[in-house]
Amino acid sequence: KQWYQRRVAITAGRYDWHQTGDTVNFTVYAKSVKPERCNVKCNAVKLQLEIQFGDDQVFTFDKVLCGIIDPEKSKVIFSKTKVEVSMRKAEFVAWPSNFVM
């Protein structure tokens, strides 16, 4: 058997975030998102993303959050042009302007 390693281009990507009283929303903008090849992990204090899109491009994000979230009440929404991660805050407090450490 021959093994083939797919080449992917790691990209800085474009992302944005905003918060409400009980939610922090993190959005990655990317054309032709491939949900079946994406990996989203989060626990109470960390968010890890590997978003595959376009012609074998990958956006990665691995940061410690500035606050605590409830992963069980958080969700991910995939569309053709973006990936939205909606994280439910464990405490009803405002996070700093840079939401990650």
Side-chain angles (χ1 to χ4, degrees):
K1 275 188 171 180
Q2 286 186 331
W3 292 93
Y4 294 96
Q5 182 177 14
R6 255 182 17 173
R7 293 184 180 264
V8 294
I10 305 297
T11 182
R14 189 169 69 92
Y15 63 88
D16 194 9
W17 79 283
H18 68 277
Q19 64 181 314
T20 63
D22 64 349
T23 308
V24 174
N25 297 294
F26 183 79
T27 304
V28 177
Y29 299 96
K31 291 184 180 179
S32 301
V33 172
K34 299 173 179 161
E36 69 279 1
R37 294 187 184 167
C38 294
N39 191 11
V40 177
K41 294 180 184 178
C42 85
N43 62 32
V45 295
K46 190 170 187 176
L47 175 63
Q48 297 173 294
L49 303 172
E50 184 177 285
I51 308 299
Q52 293 202 9
F53 62 99
D55 295 326
D56 291 328
Q57 292 181 304
V58 177
F59 168 82
T60 58
F61 186 87
D62 187 352
K63 302 282 183 179
V64 174
L65 303 170
C66 282
I68 300 170
I69 65 163
D70 183 346
E72 297 298 319
K73 294 182 180 174
S74 300
K75 63 182 177 179
V76 180
I77 300 171
F78 293 95
S79 72
K80 286 282 189 189
T81 58
K82 63 186 175 182
V83 177
E84 296 175 277
V85 182
S86 180
M87 298 172 281
R88 180 64 61 100
K89 293 178 183 177
E91 300 173 335
F92 196 85
V93 296
W95 286 14
S97 60
N98 183 5
F99 84 108
V100 294
M101 296 181 143

